[in-house]
Amino acid sequence: GAGVSQSPSNKVTEKGKDVELRCDPISGHTALYWYRQSLGQGLEFLIYFQGNSAPDKSGLPSDRFSAERTGGSVSTLTIQRTQQEDSAVYLCASSPQGASGEKLFFGSGTQLSVL
Amino acid sequence: SQKIEQNSEALNIQEGKTATLTCNYTNYSPAYLQWYRQDPGRGPVFLLLIRENEKEKRKERLKVTFDTTLKQSLFHITASQPADSATYLCALSSGAGSYQLTFGKGTKLSVIP
């Protein structure tokens, strides 16, 4: 079956614009994660969705960042009023249940460049 | 504060040799540790998981050890091949029941023919 799909693969935007990044998880996976990977840095946790539970937003770096997950499937990460420091690869991952120890299945990411 | 360190940013070895990558952590009591492989322009791919009560795990040419006293995991690739060249990431769970993984910065391995 298909893996985790992310779009667009690349996004170039101007400072101050809003961007939307999309993630299509593996069908049947109830848990969905967003991570950010900046050059030379480790993956930084942003947000976690599990079924119909309230998402864990503890990793979002500012209130310019938000995410939603519709129908327990597709997720959109929105960054408002983008800044140059938002430039990074945004990775989405899913797992079957979000249980402790479960391996994550990652998409190929969206490379965001803010000029 | 909690910290994960992978021994070096880059490691070069000769084809056929064993590559050993290190992951050290402080101020953690992880329930388990995972290793991922990441190729350029791709997301990480899961390789192995080892739990806190396990000393060693093997999968084909891969071996992972986990020493909770030393707070260290070693990741070995035996009979390395140029196709093993990639960045390898270790990831820790912050505790039992936790879904959140914290990743190291990774070690870029280059296997030279």
Side-chain angles (χ1 to χ4, degrees):
Chain A
V4 176
S5 177
Q6 290 189 247
S7 60
S9 55
N10 282 283
K11 176 73 177 177
V12 180
T13 190
E14 292 179 351
K15 178 181 170 182
K17 300 283 189 185
D18 297 352
V19 295
E20 283 190 354
L21 313 180
R22 176 187 167 108
C23 173
D24 223 319
I26 292 173
S27 177
H29 282 194
T30 61
L32 187 148
Y33 311 73
W34 283 97
Y35 281 83
R36 177 168 73 173
Q37 187 172 34
S38 304
L39 201 59
Q41 301 298 313
L43 274 69
E44 175 190 5
F45 169 79
L46 297 178
I47 189 169
Y48 165 78
F49 295 90
Q50 168 57 282
N52 295 321
S53 302
D56 175 358
K57 304 178 183 180
S58 61
L60 294 178
S62 77
D63 58 9
R64 296 187 295 105
F65 288 72
S66 63
E68 63 177 21
R69 188 178 184 191
T70 52
S73 181
V74 172
S75 176
T76 303
L77 177 70
T78 300
I79 308 173
Q80 296 179 310
R81 305 180 303 281
T82 52
Q83 304 294 311
Q84 288 183 332
E85 62 261 30
D86 299 334
S87 296
V89 176
Y90 289 81
L91 290 162
C92 175
S94 69
S95 67
Q97 296 171 353
S100 176
E102 258 186 2
K103 65 182 181 182
L104 302 188
F105 295 80
F106 282 88
S108 292
T110 294
Q111 172 74 62
L112 175 66
S113 301
V114 182
L115 305 180
Chain B
S1 62
Q2 295 177 327
K3 205 172 177 182
I4 301 173
E5 285 186 349
Q6 295 194 238
N7 60 324
S8 57
E9 287 188 10
L11 179 65
N12 298 328
I13 63 163
Q14 208 68 36
E15 182 177 4
K17 301 291 187 184
T18 296
T20 298
L21 285 64
T22 305
C23 178
N24 295 297
Y25 59 92
T26 54
N27 298 323
Y28 266 107
S29 295
Y32 57 87
L33 186 148
Q34 300 183 10
W35 284 89
Y36 288 78
R37 169 184 172 139
Q38 186 172 24
D39 291 284
R42 312 289 295 178
V45 174
F46 173 82
L47 295 174
L48 281 167
L49 176 148
I50 187 165
R51 300 189 184 280
E52 60 180 337
N53 60 351
E54 297 175 320
K55 296 292 185 188
E56 184 179 296
K57 257 304 181 51
R58 290 175 186 263
K59 179 182 175 183
E60 298 171 353
R61 294 184 295 110
L62 309 180
K63 184 178 87 170
V64 172
T65 62
F66 195 8
D67 188 326
T68 55
T69 302
L70 290 179
K71 297 186 182 296
Q72 181 181 80
S73 174
L74 299 179
F75 177 81
H76 306 272
I77 306 175
T78 58
S80 59
Q81 305 165 0
D84 296 326
S85 299
T87 296
Y88 292 86
L89 308 172
C90 70
L92 299 179
S93 158
S94 53
S98 173
Y99 50 78
Q100 199 179 117
L101 287 177
T102 303
F103 285 82
K105 293 182 181 180
T107 295
K108 184 176 180 181
L109 175 68
S110 297
V111 181
I112 303 162

